[in-house]
Amino acid sequence: MSMHHNHTYKIIVADDHEIVRSGIRFILESQKDFYIEDEASSFNELMGLLSKKSYDFLILDLNLGDKNGIHTVREISDKFSELPILILSMFPEDPYALQSLQAGASGYLNKKMVSTDLILAINSIIEGEKYLDSAYRETLPYGTILNKTPKISIASLSKRELEVYNLLSSGYSGKMIAEKLDLSPKTISTYRKRILEKLSLSNINQLIHFALHEFE
């Protein structure tokens, strides 16, 4: 027998669409051990409730009106590390599902699948598993990390690396940076390699993308 049948799970649902919240409520009402304790329609409202009360489970839309994106997942997960989070989203699994899990969520469910898979997703997470749509899961390379990963931060860069990082993310080539900083292109290429390693990025395109999202 699974552990969650002798306990009522207090759930909080955060979504800025009333219709989505009532849809979830409707699906969960048929389950005697799941109880929707509160609903939040914005990130601020959600954070207010989370800091006042304790819940067993959070169902979170990635796109809350006042604040959205993967960094909201990390913010909640850093602050309330014990709280399992199931992401509901209209966005496709790729790349959001993996990023959500690596930011601290326990599962990701596309809104199209809510009516069929919501209960399954919640149960899997309560049993301690990570929930991802099986078709999407099969596309992941072997060994993909589904657990929360440390937040990558430019704080790990040295002063000189930061200089090079800023120029790279502004689109300067290695040769231009070498001239600008009066260093050899070989030195710049060493810096570039070290910066990518420290930030867990694999190429300059990713670095530019990372730089754009660093300050969201």
Side-chain angles (χ1 to χ4, degrees), residues 39-71:
E39 296 179 11
S41 60
S42 71
F43 182 76
N44 279 340
E45 189 183 355
L46 171 65
M47 290 311 257
L49 285 163
L50 290 178
S51 54
K52 282 200 289 279
K53 292 168 76 169
S54 73
Y55 301 92
D56 298 309
F57 205 91
L58 165 61
I59 298 175
L60 173 69
D61 181 8
L62 258 194
N63 203 8
L64 287 170
D66 56 341
K67 190 163 184 183
N68 47 43
I70 302 293
H71 49 280

Side-chain angles (χ1 to χ4, degrees), residues 192-193 195-197 199-207:
R192 178 178 164 228
K193 190 166 167 288
I195 292 165
L196 291 174
E197 269 169 19
L199 299 178
S200 307
L201 303 168
S202 43
N203 56 46
I204 292 300
N205 276 344
Q206 284 187 2
L207 181 139

